[in-house]
């Protein structure tokens, strides 16, 4: 066995593609062959957090060679055990092929090699349930350094010098938040880790807590030391049961081993952490609403100031940081602020985790240096758009963000550049959309979300988003009127100006940014009553059957979801145009290609002629 | 009229009694145990923890995770986050509605399934995603739905 280890990615993506069965089969195979006993099997076959390239799951990485086996089938396991673990030969036919070449080491995968991992550094390398694994990656070293060599204000200075900014939304400098909290007068202060990752399309915080929970504990404890707090809360979404479980057991281990609780590492400093589980309210990602929720109230935001640094949880000074932000802290302490500040752009330091999803080949989590271009992320790291489709736009920053079109692909990503392009860094959700997506419909989707999640406390958000949604629904159903676009713009700007919290202040962004870049699509919906992408079904053109080609097989009748097709067996069939919703199901099943949309056919005839 | 007793909730109440900011954790644990939060249970919590009933009801109605209606044996959660939406999750919702003849938030006639539409469940790389209880099914098309539902229908019947 030569001290080989098999790391099984057990992130949620891989679990749903069968990672547990793969893991069980490895253990079984090793035991059946008497290669290991019951005790050491746990050291040989390890479960790790999310490795990142979810579209290649289930995944096993064999160490020390770091060989990457992806898209595994249960029957591949005995082959790997025999050839690789026993005989020491890499199983060539099970390797992933990229650009015509087999990739052996996982760090050579396109998806991994373009990355600069800081927050995600340990994830996929360690077993989240093992504190030994975390310690072997220099875990808790930063905490020890802070407690033995640094004063609180030195820690804060280090974070300020690093240039670290918040990774969860607004991008506020982390060191300043800490300093304000440290300087606030009170005997009682709190640290909150915001793990209420509600932006649809973002899942990095979940991955960090699931895959490297001790890092969250270490970072919060360092924060507590720096600002003078003795108590911390992690506010996690209820939708993340595995994260809650892994963090809960890591907290217990950390207490047993003296990294948490009274007199940490035999110092004078005491700190403990409690988990609070959310209950499905998006607005609780906003810090003042989150505080209300921890206090057991309805999660409604308060006007700022006072900021939580002055008056937060139970009226006491409180520092709130997001999971990914906190996860950069130990590396900054270990390697120094100048190391961190040396990565990225003038205004945005370090790296950022993006959750890549949507119409793109390589979906999953990537951490790249600030300043990388959008094109590099989508095409070089994530492999581009599948099915020979064209890239249309990328939505960055979720319901608070914007949609960025193809002409901005070479934009270098940092807080300011995204802002100028009408999006925001936000939490780093990055949903890629191909030519089949309708931008008006995407805007409607986000407004539907924010309107539903608006807590109702302030009228601009409660009523304004509702009115915007109504207008968008009219446009997508073919009842748009002249002046609607201008009305949306005016309403949007007012809502941004006058809303109470970040939810309302950013809710119009998806609409305003799609109007900015795809105004012609809005105009097509309103003036021509057509949806250029064919997504808005009530505007889409009905299908027709060519009577000369139809053989009366009745297959189209069977699949039509709205019973729009009639005709006897072996006779010509007809589609009722007023019932047809243009879903295209009939076109797909027709064996003789007799079903078409008029405009597509004319276009095809033109091209052929 | 004497108030209804819930001895099975005593351990939960005792664990949190006298601590601050514990209403939401209490409601989570009680819902885990009972399945939902009807009026008489809300009144019980109100009396025991000395929290006004109006506040408890207010909190329950604010957070979408809490429910005052009994739920089916299994909860179907179809994710309508951005990635799932782009990948056609609405077709999955329609398919489930068709097959079970229920709308969002309703429970099937045999009590097996409750259909919910959820916010992003954070597995965007598997979009579109259906969660059955705590298990994720990813990369789905409407054609996959009946096979998944059958698995749970069988096990529910065996359970009965």
């Amino acid at each position: 066995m030569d001290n080989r280890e098999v790391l099984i990615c057990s992130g949620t993506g891989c679990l749903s593609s069968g990672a547990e069965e793969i893991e069980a089969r490895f253990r079984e195979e090793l035991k059946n062959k008497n290669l290991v006993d019951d005790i050491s099997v746990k050291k040989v076959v390890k479960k790790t957090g999310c490795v990142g390239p979810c579209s290649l799951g289930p995944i096993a990485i064999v160490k020390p060679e770091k060989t990457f086996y992806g898209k595994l089938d249960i029957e591949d396991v005995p082959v790997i055990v025999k050839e690789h673990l026993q005989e020491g030969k890499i199983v060539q036919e099970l390797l992933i092929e990229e650009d015509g070449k087999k990739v052996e080491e996982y760090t050579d995968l396109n998806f991994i090699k373009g990355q600069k991992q800081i927050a995600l550094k340990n994830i996929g390398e360690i077993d989240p349930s093992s504190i030994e694994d975390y310690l072997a990656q220099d875990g808790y070293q930063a905490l020890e350094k802070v407690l033995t060599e640094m004063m609180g204000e030195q820690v804060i200075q280090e974070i300020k010098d690093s240039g670290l900014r918040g990774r969860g939304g607004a991008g506020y400098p982390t060191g300043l938040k800490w300093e304000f909290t440290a300087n606030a007068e009170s005997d009682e202060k709190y640290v909150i880790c915001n793990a209420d990752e509600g932006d649809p399309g973002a899942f990095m915080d979940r991955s960090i807590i699931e895959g490297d929970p001790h890092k969250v504990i270490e970072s919060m404890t360092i924060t507590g030391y720096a600002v003078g707090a003795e108590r911390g809360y992690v506010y996690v979404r209820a939708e993340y049961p595995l994260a809650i479980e892994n963090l809960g057991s890591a907290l217990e281990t950390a207490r047993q081993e003296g990294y948490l609780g009274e007199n940490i590492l035999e110092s004078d400093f005491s700190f403990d952490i409690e988990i609070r589980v959310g209950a499905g309210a998006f607005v609780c990602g906003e810090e003042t609403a989150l505080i209300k929720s921890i206090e057991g109230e309805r999660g409604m935001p308060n006007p700022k100031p006072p900021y939580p640094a002055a008056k937060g949880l139970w009226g006491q000074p409180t520092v709130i940081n997001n999971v990914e932000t906190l996860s950069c802290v130990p590396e900054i302490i270990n390697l120094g602020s100048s190391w961190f500040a040396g990565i990225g752009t003038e205004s945005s330091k370090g790296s950022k985790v993006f959750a890549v999803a949507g119409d793109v080949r390589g979906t999953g989590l990537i951490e790249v240096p600030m300043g990388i271009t959008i094109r590099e992320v989508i095409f070089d790291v994530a492999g581009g758009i599948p099915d020979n489709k064209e890239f249309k736009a990328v939505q960055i920053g979720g319901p608070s963000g914007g949609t960025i079109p193809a002409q901005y692909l070479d934009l270098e990503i940092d807080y300011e550049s995204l802002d100028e392009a009408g999006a925001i860094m936000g939490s780093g959700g990055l949903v890629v959309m191909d030519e089949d997506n309708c931008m008006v419909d995407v805007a409607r989707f986000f407004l539907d979300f924010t309107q539903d999640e608006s807590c109702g406390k302030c009228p601009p958000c409660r009523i304004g988003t509702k009115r915007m949604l109504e207008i968008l629904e009219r446009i997508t159903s073919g009842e748009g009127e002249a002046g609607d676009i201008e009305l949306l713009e005016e309403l949007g700007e007012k809502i941004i100006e006058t809303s109470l919290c970040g939810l309302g202040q950013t809710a119009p962004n998806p609409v305003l940014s799609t109007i900015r870049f795809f105004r012609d699509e809005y105009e097509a919906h309103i003036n021509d009553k057509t949806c250029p992408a064919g997504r808005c079904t009530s505007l889409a053109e009905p299908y027709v059957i060519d009577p000369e080609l139809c053989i009366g097989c009745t297959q189209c009748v069977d699949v039509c979801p709205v019973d729009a097709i009639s005709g006897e067996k072996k006779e010509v069939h007809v589609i009722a145009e007023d019932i047809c919703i243009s879903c295209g199901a009939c076109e797909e099943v027709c064996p003789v290609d007799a079903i078409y949309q008029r405009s597509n056919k004319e276009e095809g005839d033109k091209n052929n002629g | 009229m004497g108030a209804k007793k819930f001895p099975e909730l005593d351990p939960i109440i005792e664990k949190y009694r006298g601590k601050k900011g514990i209403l939401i954790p209490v409601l989570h644990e009680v819902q885990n145990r009972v399945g939902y939060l009807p009026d008489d249970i809300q009144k019980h919590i109100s009396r025991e923890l000395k929290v006004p009933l109006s506040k408890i009801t207010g909190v329950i109605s604010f957070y979408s995770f809490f429910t005052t209606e009994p739920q089916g044996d299994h909860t179907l959660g179809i994710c309508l986050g951005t990635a799932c939406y782009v990948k056609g999750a609405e077709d999955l919702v329609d398919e489930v509605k068709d097959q079970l003849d229920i709308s969002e938030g309703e429970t099937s006639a045999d009590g097996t399934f409750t259909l919910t539409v959820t916010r992003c469940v954070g597995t965007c790389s598997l979009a579109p995603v259906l969660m059955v209880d705590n298990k994720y099914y990813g990369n789905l098309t409407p054609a996959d739905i009946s096979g998944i539902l059958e698995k749970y229908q069988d096990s529910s019947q065996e359970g009965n």
Side-chain angles (χ1 to χ4, degrees), chain A residues 499-522:
Chain A
S499 287
L500 172 60
C501 83
L503 196 158
Q505 287 158 9
T506 58
N509 286 352
V511 182
L512 297 180
S513 87
T514 46
I515 291 179
R516 175 170 162 194
F517 296 120
F518 299 96
R519 199 178 185 104
D520 52 335
E521 279 193 40
Y522 279 84

Side-chain angles (χ1 to χ4, degrees), chain A residues 467-468 471-472 474-475 479-492 511-512 515 519 522-527 529:
Chain A
R467 292 290 99 86
M468 284 184 86
I471 298 171
L472 288 164
R474 269 203 285 114
I475 297 176
E479 285 157 26
E481 294 161 11
D484 275 351
I485 300 178
E486 293 72 21
L487 189 56
L488 282 172
E489 286 175 326
E490 193 193 337
L491 253 175
V511 182
L512 297 180
I515 291 179
R519 199 178 185 104
Y522 279 84
E523 286 166 351
H525 282 74
I526 296 169
N527 302 335
K529 310 290 177 211

Side-chain angles (χ1 to χ4, degrees), chain A residues 12 16 54 200-201 203 206 237 276 278-280 293-295 297-299 358 363 441 444-445 449 452-453 535, chain B residues 20-21 24 28 55 58-59 61-66 80-82 85-87 119-126 136:
Chain A
T12 306
S16 79
C54 304
F203 50 98
R206 150 199 216 124
R237 298 179 76 199
R276 281 299 166 91
S293 186
I294 293 184
E295 290 172 352
E297 310 275 341
R298 289 162 74 98
T363 55
D441 186 53
R444 188 202 55 78
F445 166 81
F449 178 91
D452 193 39
E453 293 293 347
R535 178 102 187 185
Chain B
K20 60 179 177 178
I24 291 170
H28 267 302
K55 183 173 167 185
V59 165
S61 64
F62 185 83
Y63 294 97
S64 64
F65 241 70
F66 297 131
L80 276 190
T82 323
Y85 183 76
V86 166
K87 294 284 218 170
R119 295 298 180 213
C120 184
V121 295
T123 51
C124 310
S125 48
L126 304 170
Y136 297 83

Side-chain angles (χ1 to χ4, degrees), chain A residues 102-134:
Chain A
K102 302 262 186 196
V103 183
E104 287 192 1
E105 281 189 36
Y106 95 96
T107 43
D108 288 335
L109 284 171
N110 285 336
F111 197 86
I112 306 286
K113 74 180 173 201
Q115 299 197 35
K116 172 77 194 168
Q117 297 197 329
I118 300 172
L120 299 181
K121 192 191 85 172
N122 297 336
I123 301 172
E125 293 273 336
I126 65 169
D127 175 352
S129 68
S130 160
I131 194 169
E132 292 80 15
D133 272 21
Y134 183 65

Side-chain angles (χ1 to χ4, degrees), chain A residues 263-282:
Chain A
N263 303 102
I264 293 170
L265 297 172
E266 288 159 15
S267 69
D268 296 337
F269 178 63
S270 300
F271 188 78
D272 212 331
I273 297 172
E274 199 177 308
I275 301 176
R276 281 299 166 91
V277 179
F282 174 70

Side-chain angles (χ1 to χ4, degrees), chain A residues 188-221:
Chain A
E188 203 184 324
K189 295 179 185 179
Y190 296 97
V191 177
I192 295 175
C193 171
N194 183 348
D196 191 47
E197 188 175 44
D199 278 8
F203 50 98
M204 57 287 289
D205 293 347
R206 150 199 216 124
S207 188
I208 292 170
I209 300 182
E210 284 180 3
D212 198 6
H214 283 286
K215 191 184 258 179
V216 178
I217 298 171
E218 181 177 11
S219 310
M220 286 180 71
T221 313

